[in-house]
Amino acid sequence: MSPKEQILVDPNVVIGKPSKELFISMLTRDISLIDAISDLVDNCMDGAIRLKGRKKFTGLEVNIILTEDGFRIKDNCGGIDKELAQKYAFRFGRPSQAITIDYSVGQFGIGMKRALFKMGNKFEIKSISQKASFSIEIDVNKWSKEESWDFGFKQLIEKRFPLAERGTEIIVSSLNPDVKERFKQKNFLSELKAKLELQHLMHVSKGLVIKINDHPIESNQLKLLNSDKFTTAYWAKRFKMYGNMKVKIYAGIGAQDLKTGGWYVFCNNRLIEGPEQTEVTGWGVKTSVKIPEYHGQFSRFRGFVLFESRLPSFLPWNTSKTSVDTDSPIFQSVKLEMISLMRPIIDFLNKVHDESGAYLNKKLEEKYLQKEIDSASLKDYLDVRTSSKFIAPTQKRLAKKTNEVIIRYIRTEDKVEKLKKFFKISSPKQVGEKTFDYTYSRECKE
């Protein structure tokens, strides 16, 4: 409490207003530097959406410049108009009466401020919109000592500006020491590039150019296997009680890659989770539909979940947009559909694994399922064949050796689960085969 507050405090009032330190030094700890920069890119995205709606972003560009001495992000995405700046853009938290943008990726009203406080002590914001241009300069150390939470325009010009001049530029100087050190690290730029390529892949695929130190990032694509033998599972639904939110799920198989396999969850085209390979998206659940934990055997699995809403307050994301809100009723409802759609794909990938083992043991003359996978092509998820269920080729029957016998026994589930983890396999049948082979190799050497 400041000395002034101590003097003016009403003995019958309990002070409940926040402190500036909460925003300057506490909330900034909840977000990584890369995610803070991504939050600033989100602001550019909202400008692009305000300018182009749901059309292509062709001609729009965001350029991020990083040096040891400062940070700058500049876009030509339409700028921030005067009313938005005065009433909402620089407030801490978004009031309910704030102007909203349909299908926005900004929601909570803290992203830009938190990102700037995290990076440095001085920043300047310059923006040119259709009807006005303004600049604001903020010295965080000075501002933190002032009673007022407001910021003043350094310059304000009200007139019409041509589209070619509109955009926003943010410059951060007097970088915080840890940020300065992070910018010096050789791997920082590559980490930032990889993250932005993932988080904004749909925006880039719509034509937006994002550059880091004048080098454009690449456009990753969401691809699924497609042929007359493979059909991707597709599910879509509108949830009227959640602002008529539309949810779409695509689930199928893609390239074999342990790192990129799993689920990808988007909110208004912004990647929130992915590749996600834990119980958050259904891996390892033991509901009525059981799903094994993610491992190499399922590295071809790909699932894309797209939440789309005009009202972003209904979207199931956290404030830093780095994870889904797992307590969200709508996410829990959609998760059940995700689990249901992935089960047939898991079954198919188990068959591919078994087929490979049978081929190695000379029980099969060819790997039929693998051959069908190899002959299919990868396509953009929007261009693949879809159905309500995943459809894949049927496996040929495995040839059985005449001297084979079937061994059956019962053991408790917890012990079987331990052995599944130990051998990195997914079914009780495989546990039986592995434990038999293990014992035989140790005790019955031929």
Side-chain angles (χ1 to χ4, degrees), residues 29-46:
R29 299 179 189 180
D30 295 339
I31 190 168
S32 71
L33 180 57
I34 286 177
D35 286 326
I37 293 172
S38 191
D39 257 344
L40 295 177
V41 177
D42 284 344
N43 284 345
C44 304
M45 292 306 107
D46 274 350

Side-chain angles (χ1 to χ4, degrees), residues 1 5 9-10 12-20 22-23 149:
M1 187 184 300
E5 285 175 330
V9 67
D10 183 331
N12 296 313
V13 171
V14 177
I15 296 174
K17 74 176 184 181
S19 68
K20 289 183 177 177
L22 172 68
F23 293 90
W149 284 65

Side-chain angles (χ1 to χ4, degrees), residues 28-292:
T28 55
R29 299 179 189 180
D30 295 339
I31 190 168
S32 71
L33 180 57
I34 286 177
D35 286 326
I37 293 172
S38 191
D39 257 344
L40 295 177
V41 177
D42 284 344
N43 284 345
C44 304
M45 292 306 107
D46 274 350
I49 294 167
R50 202 162 39 234
L51 194 64
K52 298 267 190 172
R54 307 192 80 186
K55 297 176 183 174
K56 290 276 186 183
F57 293 153
T58 309
L60 300 185
E61 181 176 311
V62 179
N63 198 3
I64 299 166
I65 303 293
L66 295 171
T67 70
E68 295 178 16
D69 299 318
F71 170 90
R72 181 161 63 95
I73 181 168
K74 185 176 182 180
D75 70 54
N76 62 350
C77 299
I80 305 169
D81 68 41
K82 179 190 164 190
E83 183 184 1
L84 185 63
Q86 282 186 310
K87 295 182 179 178
Y88 307 114
F90 296 94
R91 290 182 69 161
F92 293 85
R94 182 182 295 273
S96 58
Q97 70 274 23
I99 300 168
T100 58
I101 307 168
D102 288 350
Y103 303 101
S104 162
V105 292
Q107 159 61 24
F108 304 101
I110 58 173
M112 179 177 69
K113 281 82 71 180
R114 178 167 57 181
L116 297 178
F117 288 147
K118 187 173 186 70
M119 279 195 278
N121 287 309
K122 292 181 180 178
F123 45 87
E124 181 179 7
I125 301 162
K126 296 186 281 189
S127 191
I128 301 174
S129 62
Q130 185 178 14
K131 297 179 181 178
S133 76
F134 68 82
S135 67
I136 294 173
E137 283 187 1
I138 298 167
D139 183 318
V140 178
N141 289 331
K142 287 182 181 177
W143 177 79
S144 67
K145 295 180 178 65
E146 295 170 359
E147 190 68 20
S148 171
W149 284 65
D150 299 334
F151 309 107
F153 286 125
K154 180 186 175 188
Q155 184 183 55
L156 175 64
I157 300 171
E158 295 189 74
K159 70 171 191 175
R160 294 188 73 85
F161 288 89
L163 183 62
E165 294 182 19
R166 297 175 206 162
T168 301
E169 181 177 17
I170 298 175
I171 301 166
V172 184
S173 56
S174 186
L175 295 176
N176 291 323
D178 54 339
V179 174
K180 206 167 187 173
E181 284 302 310
R182 195 81 172 91
F183 282 2
K184 285 181 188 176
Q185 293 173 355
K186 289 181 179 176
N187 63 346
F188 183 77
L189 284 180
S190 58
E191 288 179 20
L192 176 64
K193 178 174 178 286
K195 195 70 176 280
L196 293 182
E197 284 177 347
L198 257 183
Q199 290 182 335
H200 296 284
L201 65 92
M202 287 201 177
H203 298 123
V204 174
S205 69
K206 285 184 69 176
L208 182 79
V209 176
I210 300 177
K211 295 179 178 177
I212 301 175
N213 286 351
D214 295 321
H215 297 290
I217 66 172
E218 295 174 5
S219 171
N220 285 324
Q221 287 186 307
L222 303 177
K223 292 187 174 181
L224 292 167
L225 213 60
N226 186 69
S227 76
D228 58 354
K229 302 283 181 64
F230 289 98
T231 302
T232 293
Y234 175 71
W235 177 89
K237 184 177 179 179
R238 281 197 181 276
F239 292 81
K240 289 185 179 178
M241 66 181 297
Y242 293 99
N244 207 30
M245 183 190 303
K246 186 171 186 181
V247 184
K248 294 181 282 187
I249 304 175
Y250 295 81
I253 56 178
Q256 190 165 20
D257 186 339
L258 187 61
K259 286 185 178 179
T260 60
W263 284 101
Y264 293 71
V265 182
F266 296 85
C267 287
N268 281 355
N269 288 331
R270 163 72 145 78
L271 183 72
I272 303 302
E273 290 268 16
E276 214 294 324
Q277 302 162 348
T278 73
E279 196 170 345
V280 168
T281 52
W283 293 100
V285 297
K286 293 179 173 40
T287 55
S288 57
V289 178
K290 290 183 172 57
I291 300 294

Side-chain angles (χ1 to χ4, degrees), residues 268-336:
N268 281 355
N269 288 331
R270 163 72 145 78
L271 183 72
I272 303 302
E273 290 268 16
E276 214 294 324
Q277 302 162 348
T278 73
E279 196 170 345
V280 168
T281 52
W283 293 100
V285 297
K286 293 179 173 40
T287 55
S288 57
V289 178
K290 290 183 172 57
I291 300 294
E293 292 182 3
Y294 180 81
H295 59 80
Q297 193 169 313
F298 309 120
S299 61
R300 283 190 178 275
F301 176 86
R302 295 292 187 283
F304 310 132
V305 188
L306 296 91
F307 292 87
E308 297 175 353
S309 176
R310 287 180 183 276
L311 304 172
S313 58
F314 285 113
L315 294 169
W317 52 12
N318 64 4
T319 65
S320 54
K321 288 171 265 182
T322 54
S323 180
V324 295
D325 175 4
T326 53
D327 291 326
S328 159
I330 193 169
F331 179 73
Q332 286 300 325
S333 173
V334 171
K335 183 177 174 179
L336 293 177

